[in-house]
Amino acid sequence: MSTAITIYHNPACGTSRNTLALIRNSGVEPQVIEYLKTPPSRETLQQLVADMGGSVRDVLREKGTPYAELGLGEAHWSDAQLLDFIGQHPVLLNRPIVVTPLGTRLCRPSERVLDILPQPQQAAFTKEDGERVVDEHGARVHAPR
């Protein structure tokens, strides 16, 4: 079955790799956009943020980025200005962002993608760190509280 799913992916990121693997575990091969090589346009970013129902600040990444040096933690920056910063420094975009027919979501942690995948999981799935996420019946495993 062909289901339109897009992931804004960074192959160097474990969360992004786990999310991509969960999408594939549902039997779907998504469109993979390595956003550091092919950054989304300003219009696409605005649409992703709008579809998530949040603000640009919700998709900003602090760790391993120029966030602190640019002073982006300060409240005076507008969404438009923050979009300009992401345009200049795509690494500021948090990942992975996944778009499916059921919604758009920043998938941190990676199992958040399960809420927007149209197809069920096909097999058991364990994240790279050894955490079981899906059992052998394709059911979500809830971590102990």
Side-chain angles (χ1 to χ4, degrees), residues 1-137:
M1 173 178 172
S2 137
T3 301
I5 295 178
T6 301
I7 179 172
Y8 291 86
H9 178 60
N10 179 350
C13 171
T15 300
S16 199
R17 290 191 304 271
N18 283 320
T19 302
L20 178 57
L22 281 163
I23 295 168
R24 289 177 170 153
N25 198 44
S26 75
V28 174
E29 182 56 37
Q31 176 185 15
V32 178
I33 298 174
E34 289 189 31
Y35 69 92
L36 294 177
K37 292 181 182 174
T38 311
S41 69
R42 180 187 185 89
E43 295 73 27
T44 298
L45 276 174
Q46 284 177 303
Q47 189 62 56
L48 290 170
V49 170
D51 290 348
M52 286 189 273
S55 72
V56 175
R57 197 164 284 289
D58 296 335
V59 298
L60 278 180
R61 181 171 177 82
E62 294 182 43
K63 189 173 146 192
T65 75
Y67 182 94
E69 300 89 276
L70 295 170
L72 299 183
E74 296 177 29
H76 66 81
W77 298 113
S78 68
D79 275 4
Q81 289 169 313
L82 293 173
L83 283 169
D84 288 339
F85 283 115
I86 294 171
Q88 294 160 18
H89 309 278
V91 72
L92 286 167
L93 183 63
N94 213 339
R95 75 279 176 153
I97 295 174
V98 178
V99 180
T100 81
L102 300 181
T104 300
R105 181 160 293 166
L106 173 62
C107 295
R108 300 190 74 78
S110 54
E111 51 271 27
R112 289 194 73 208
V113 76
L114 295 172
D115 298 332
I116 59 169
L117 289 178
Q119 299 291 107
Q121 294 289 288
Q122 307 288 308
F125 184 83
T126 302
K127 294 192 332 189
E128 291 178 5
D129 66 4
E131 181 188 347
R132 280 185 74 220
V133 178
V134 176
D135 69 17
E136 59 279 0
H137 306 291

